[in-house]
Amino acid sequence: MILIGGGTGSAPILMAGRRWKGQVSRAYFGFSDEIAPDLKQEINLDLPSVRIVIDPPNRVGEIISVLSDDVSKEPELFLRGRIFLCGPTVMMDSVIRLLTRVGMPRRQIFMAREDIM
């Protein structure tokens, strides 16, 4: 299982990670601003192999670059896994494009929309 959360979509992804902790091989969290040290510590303690990505000033979507690098380094991990994804629509659309471009079947990507937030 690979978890990817962005912004307010990180909360349900963190909850999923806690629920299925033993099944998570990677976790990615992207934020547009710095997060509280307590939250960062909580995420790091709860999930293995987590990458917390903070967008540089005036640039959003840095998590897509980090994810793209990791997919190119370990494509088999992503191709055989299941992706759980929640966050802004633009981020989720970018993740889906990236993963399907490398051959991941769409049926292995599960997403929850957080548009209202």
Side-chain angles (χ1 to χ4, degrees):
M1 184 179 297
I2 297 167
L3 307 177
I4 305 168
T8 59
S10 296
I13 292 298
L14 181 57
M15 289 180 358
R18 287 178 177 149
R19 171 71 172 87
W20 294 294
K21 192 173 192 170
Q23 298 175 26
V24 177
S25 59
R26 294 284 190 292
Y28 298 84
F29 291 87
F31 299 96
S32 57
D33 293 308
E34 193 60 48
I35 60 172
D38 290 346
L39 177 57
K40 191 178 280 189
Q41 181 180 8
E42 185 178 343
I43 293 169
N44 279 309
L45 288 173
D46 283 341
L47 295 170
S49 303
V50 68
R51 304 272 313 257
I52 299 173
V53 181
I54 309 298
D55 290 333
N58 302 315
R59 198 170 81 215
V60 296
E62 189 66 20
I63 190 156
I64 302 303
S65 297
V66 169
L67 185 61
S68 180
D69 288 345
D70 286 359
V71 168
S72 67
K73 291 174 189 169
E74 295 183 272
E76 285 302 312
L77 173 70
F78 290 86
L79 291 175
R80 71 174 190 260
R82 298 226 189 291
I83 306 294
F84 286 79
L85 173 63
C86 188
T89 304
V90 173
M91 182 205 80
M92 292 194 302
D93 289 345
S94 296
V95 169
I96 290 169
R97 273 193 307 277
L98 168 68
L99 295 173
T100 55
R101 194 170 48 235
V102 297
M104 173 170 258
R106 179 63 183 88
R107 68 181 179 279
Q108 289 176 223
I109 304 171
F110 301 87
M111 58 187 242
R113 310 274 313 239
E114 287 295 319
D115 295 343
I116 295 172
M117 298 302 281

